[in-house]
Amino acid sequence: MISPKSVQEILEVSKIEDIVGDYVNLKKSGSNMKGLCPFHNEKTPSFMVSPGKNIFKCFGCGKGGSPASFLMEHERLSYPEALRMLAKRYRIQIEETETTEEQREERQLMESLYLINQFARDFYQNQLFETDRGKSVGLSYFKERGFREETVRKFGLGYAPNSKKDFIAHALKTGYEEKYIEMLGLKTKHGNDFFRNRVMFTIHNLSGKVIGFGGRILEKAVKAPKYINSPETDIYNKSKVLYGAYFAKNAIRKFDECILVEGYTDVLSLHQSGIENVVASSGTALTKDQIRLVKRFTDNIKIIYDGDAAGVKAALRGLDMVLAENMNVKVVLLPQGEDPDGYINKVGTTAFREYIQSNADDFILFKTKILLEEAQNDPVKKTNLLKDIVKSIAFIPDPLKRSVYIKECSTLLNVQEQLLIDAANKNVASILRKKKQYEERQANSVSDTNFPTHEPQIDPQEMSAPPPPRQKKIKSGDEFQEKDLARILVNYGGEIFDEEEQLTVAGFILINIEEVLEEFDSKKYARLVNHCVKMLVEKKEINKNYFINHPNKEIREMAIDLISSPYEYSPNWKEKHNVELKTQPVPDKNFIRDSIYAVNIFKLKKVERRIQKNQAELKKAQLANESEKLSIHLKVHMR
């Protein structure tokens, strides 16, 4: 277990903008930063990062927290694992205390999976550079493809020997457990090495950890798949990963564009030639999760296809969901028989850049041209083409963008613009209807306390933008006032309310509401307030950092909700107009007045409720002609 001292040091050093910035393209927005949420699908940024408070908060799906919380959500880590990851990033030496058996096992599992994959990468790379077979077969293959040694080492390329159990024997000898090797798919059900006699491509996640491998066979006569990949595991889901994304993310941000290619070697050749904003779908059909991964860093995607027309048409069918994400999609078709890897080596970096720049077509117009060539003068094919194009245009959420594409297609296809508008509107109406049906199903299936943790995979045809999970609404009764008290306690509990008596804000509030603590409507706010009472008794400091980084998830999430706001105060009054607030302190310093008002309103609400209950009892006693009870309730009413 990590010692409290180390935890404190890690949390003090970690910067939320650094951590989130590795995964999300953030743009300045006042004193905060804004980007597209990595946890749910959205087209307008509602994901805020506050460097001043060192927190993130999405006002769409509700997720929020500290740098550790972000890593826990994004990388599916436990709290200690997230702290270890932060410690490693900021080079902090961790002090350890005792841990439970369950904690040790959980930590060991995830650490073992990553460590074994890292070990496998080093093993394959060592085979490539240090063995005769690796040099003659693997290294010569990479050299023939034009890859320099620095590229081979940077991307973790290697060679898996042909022996049945070389890797397994070496891993077991080093001390790794066989069950973990099997979990990662590095061992077959027959007990042999999964990858044999193949050149190896290492697959990384966005934080640079090794999560899987791809292996290419070099022998042509062997009846085996050309490429095989690691199976899906606890740390590897191929539909959510893009090859090369870890090495490309900074360049994608810099150039505000992502270049998408098909294979491993395409990424390597382009990256080595200086075109670093490139990723690959690794031969699989592009998925919604992969598209959203790109969208975190840019709205602009350029897809490069080789000259195989049949392959292009097959790929086009799956790209409507790119449009549904409101991304700007351009398509480049290389000359017949060329692929990105071979073509850049053939013509050089400058000519390649010029070619993809001058030959990039908007996706809709590219699709129209391709299908128009196929339809030629066949009226039936042309009708189907029109339906296909209009269907794709309908997925574009922006109505202005839709209208521009309709106008262009009208000219290209020689069809009245109004006909295309009417057809597109029908498709849009259908999409919106299905989206509404989906929202209604979600509303019916989601209760106040249970929220879906994973968004279902919805086809673009069903809806253009799945809504985020519904946020819980404030209930009736006094919950609003209870929430306001909790907000002040979390934000300003440790601030001094009365310097003479050394009374804190938390002390003032808790002393004044002590007699009505049992009358909270909201159980969660009651728990938080009682937690503050306990801290006060134990003379522990009450501050927002304590709550933001609390090991209890419910307290962490509640604190973030209470601290965060989608709005911020404009600095323009003072900076541009020289107008200052004179009637009261600025909001962040107004906690004394805020506390008094919140306590008074809270107590007033509770007194009003007692009056209502007492009046009901008074009426009952009057109707029953019970003079003794009537007298008691009259005295209570006067009090």
Side-chain angles (χ1 to χ4, degrees):
M1 190 174 177
I2 303 172
S3 70
K5 180 185 173 184
S6 290
V7 171
Q8 187 64 29
E9 187 180 358
I10 292 164
L11 297 177
E12 285 175 356
V13 170
S14 302
K15 293 183 178 179
I16 191 68
E17 63 270 31
D18 291 347
I19 304 304
V20 176
D22 282 345
Y23 304 88
V24 180
N25 191 25
L26 296 172
K27 294 180 181 177
K28 192 79 174 166
S29 177
S31 61
N32 295 325
M33 304 174 90
K34 188 183 282 189
L36 290 171
C37 180
F39 304 117
H40 84 280
N41 177 30
E42 63 176 5
K43 296 178 175 57
T44 304
S46 58
F47 182 85
M48 301 290 288
V49 167
S50 172
K53 296 174 182 175
N54 208 32
I55 62 170
F56 75 93
K57 173 69 178 177
C58 177
F59 295 97
C61 68
K63 289 190 185 295
S66 63
S69 303
F70 182 85
L71 291 176
M72 288 166 69
E73 288 285 352
H74 196 279
E75 297 292 321
R76 294 190 300 169
L77 303 175
S78 67
Y79 185 59
E81 287 167 345
L83 290 174
R84 290 176 195 283
M85 193 169 176
L86 289 170
K88 186 176 180 183
R89 179 190 178 102
Y90 292 102
R91 297 177 183 176
I92 296 169
Q93 190 71 35
I94 291 176
E95 288 182 2
E96 297 278 358
T97 59
E98 289 186 12
T99 58
T100 66
E101 185 63 31
E102 189 179 346
Q103 288 172 330
R104 279 198 297 272
E105 285 178 4
E106 186 181 347
R107 178 184 156 197
Q108 184 185 23
L109 171 62
M110 298 308 290
E111 282 187 354
S112 295
L113 296 181
Y114 285 119
L115 282 171
I116 292 170
N117 267 346
Q118 183 72 28
F119 172 80
R121 190 208 71 164
D122 294 342
F123 173 81
Y124 296 136
Q125 194 155 85
N126 185 67
Q127 291 288 318
L128 183 74
F129 284 106
E130 304 298 331
T131 67
D132 293 338
R133 176 74 177 171
K135 290 176 186 176
S136 62
V137 176
L139 197 56
S140 62
Y141 167 78
F142 289 129
K143 286 182 177 178
E144 283 171 16
R145 301 301 294 256
F147 302 137
R148 298 189 294 270
E149 183 176 333
E150 63 190 76
T151 304
V152 172
R153 292 191 182 277
K154 180 177 182 178
F155 281 83
L157 307 184
Y159 173 73
N162 198 25
S163 174
K164 285 185 177 181
K165 295 186 179 181
D166 261 16
F167 169 73
I168 293 172
H170 193 50
L172 293 175
K173 186 179 178 182
T174 308
Y176 294 110
E177 292 187 40
E178 196 166 357
K179 63 179 180 179
Y180 297 135
I181 298 169
E182 194 167 350
M183 284 175 69
L184 288 165
L186 293 167
K187 172 190 167 189
T188 69
K189 60 182 180 181
H190 302 296
N192 299 324
D193 289 352
F194 181 75
F195 294 103
R196 290 160 51 198
N197 198 27
R198 290 175 181 268
V199 287
M200 301 295 292
F201 300 86
T202 300
I203 301 165
H204 304 83
N205 64 13
L206 272 184
S207 58
K209 288 186 176 180
V210 179
I211 56 174
F213 298 92
R216 186 192 192 281
I217 200 163
L218 300 179
E219 296 179 13
K220 294 180 181 178
V222 177
K223 290 184 179 179
K226 185 177 179 182
Y227 280 95
I228 58 172
N229 282 75
S230 296
E232 296 206 346
T233 65
D234 287 347
I235 60 174
Y236 176 53
N237 184 335
K238 62 182 177 183
S239 68
K240 296 184 178 182
V241 175
L242 286 166
Y243 181 73
Y246 169 66
F247 301 101
K249 60 186 180 183
N250 291 332
I252 292 171
R253 280 200 203 98
K254 180 180 176 181
F255 296 105
D256 196 19
E257 181 182 67
C258 177
I259 296 172
L260 179 69
V261 293
E262 186 180 356
Y264 302 128
T265 55
D266 296 328
V267 170
L268 295 167
S269 288
L270 267 61
H271 190 97
Q272 182 174 266
S273 300
I275 303 173
E276 296 185 358
N277 55 325
V278 58
V279 298
S281 57
S282 304
T284 60
L286 199 59
T287 68
K288 188 176 289 187
D289 286 318
Q290 289 171 334
I291 295 164
R292 291 175 186 172
L293 181 61
V294 173
K295 192 172 174 64
R296 292 188 207 172
F297 302 103
T298 181
D299 284 329
N300 304 304
I301 185 167
K302 186 178 284 177
I303 303 171
I304 302 179
Y305 291 113
D306 59 32
D308 179 12
V312 171
K313 279 186 284 187
L316 289 179
R317 288 194 289 270
L319 287 179
D320 285 342
M321 55 187 160
V322 184
L323 297 176
E325 295 298 322
N326 205 26
M327 295 186 74
N328 305 313
V329 191
K330 292 195 172 182
V331 180
V332 179
L333 189 61
L334 294 178
Q336 185 67 36
E338 298 287 359
D339 58 34
D341 173 27
Y343 193 58
I344 196 168
N345 286 321
K346 182 178 179 180
V347 301
T349 305
T350 303
F352 186 87
R353 282 185 190 275
E354 290 172 356
Y355 181 88
I356 63 172
Q357 187 66 31
S358 57
N359 288 276
D361 281 328
D362 282 306
F363 169 59
I364 291 289
L365 302 182
F366 177 82
K367 184 174 182 176
T368 304
K369 289 175 186 176
I370 291 286
L371 297 181
L372 194 57
E373 286 177 13
E374 185 183 346
Q376 295 181 349
N377 295 320
D378 188 323
V380 176
K381 285 184 177 179
K382 193 168 183 180
T383 302
N384 291 332
L385 157 66
L386 285 167
K387 290 178 180 177
D388 197 349
I389 297 298
V390 167
K391 181 181 164 187
S392 290
I393 292 173
F395 283 119
I396 300 170
D398 186 343
L400 289 174
K401 196 185 285 186
R402 280 202 306 267
S403 66
V404 170
Y405 280 124
I406 285 171
K407 195 174 188 69
E408 291 279 352
C409 289
S410 169
T411 306
L412 272 173
L413 298 168
N414 195 25
V415 176
Q416 287 183 21
E417 188 177 340
Q418 191 58 47
L419 287 174
L420 294 179
I421 291 171
D422 293 343
N425 286 342
K426 285 181 182 178
N427 277 274
V428 171
S430 175
I431 289 168
L432 292 175
R433 186 172 61 253
K434 287 171 181 174
K435 178 181 177 182
K436 186 179 179 183
Q437 290 169 354
Y438 170 79
E439 289 173 340
E440 287 171 352
R441 288 198 303 271
Q442 287 294 97
N444 292 332
S445 63
V446 177
S447 68
D448 275 347
T449 54
N450 296 302
F451 303 104
T453 54
H454 299 288
E455 181 187 317
Q457 290 295 312
I458 304 295
D459 189 88
Q461 221 168 330
E462 289 190 38
M463 58 183 292
S464 58
R470 292 158 62 85
Q471 291 195 63
K472 188 178 176 183
K473 295 180 180 178
I474 295 294
K475 293 180 180 177
S476 57
D478 300 338
E479 187 169 338
F480 182 83
Q481 281 71 37
E482 293 165 7
K483 179 180 179 181
D484 201 37
L485 282 177
R487 174 188 66 81
I488 296 169
L489 284 170
V490 169
N491 278 279
Y492 312 110
E495 299 288 345
I496 298 297
F497 183 88
D498 187 323
E499 284 190 24
E500 191 174 326
E501 295 186 15
Q502 280 298 294
L503 181 68
T504 63
V505 167
F508 167 77
I509 290 174
L510 298 173
I511 288 167
N512 276 278
I513 66 170
E514 188 176 6
E515 62 182 22
V516 286
L517 275 176
E518 299 302 318
E519 296 190 30
F520 269 67
D521 285 340
S522 166
K523 289 181 181 178
K524 69 174 185 178
Y525 296 131
R527 281 197 296 270
L528 187 138
V529 171
N530 281 304
H531 190 72
C532 290
V533 171
K534 186 181 176 185
M535 290 179 69
L536 210 62
V537 170
E538 294 173 356
K539 297 183 178 180
K540 290 182 180 177
E541 186 181 356
I542 298 174
N543 60 57
K544 66 178 72 172
N545 286 331
Y546 169 82
F547 293 105
I548 291 170
N549 297 298
H550 199 280
N552 183 286
K553 186 180 180 184
E554 183 189 25
I555 292 177
R556 283 201 309 270
E557 291 180 348
M558 199 189 313
I560 294 299
D561 286 339
L562 295 169
I563 288 167
S564 307
S565 170
Y567 313 107
E568 60 178 326
Y569 300 97
S570 171
N572 290 339
W573 290 107
K574 186 175 181 180
E575 292 175 6
K576 290 188 177 181
H577 308 297
N578 200 29
V579 175
E580 293 192 36
L581 186 64
K582 295 178 181 177
T583 57
Q584 60 184 20
V586 293
D588 284 345
K589 301 293 181 183
N590 198 28
F591 46 82
I592 294 177
R593 185 169 170 177
D594 208 5
S595 303
I596 295 169
Y597 181 78
V599 165
N600 285 338
I601 290 291
F602 177 79
K603 291 179 77 174
L604 175 63
K605 286 280 185 180
K606 298 305 179 188
V607 170
E608 285 176 339
R609 179 182 290 188
R610 285 186 175 184
I611 288 172
Q612 288 169 2
K613 286 181 179 178
N614 191 64
Q615 283 178 330
E617 293 297 322
L618 192 67
K619 193 172 182 181
K620 280 169 64 178
Q622 200 170 16
L623 290 170
N625 200 22
E626 295 175 332
S627 56
E628 191 176 341
K629 281 188 177 180
L630 189 64
S631 175
I632 291 169
H633 288 299
L634 279 170
K635 287 177 181 177
V636 169
H637 182 72
M638 291 304 294
R639 183 170 180 267

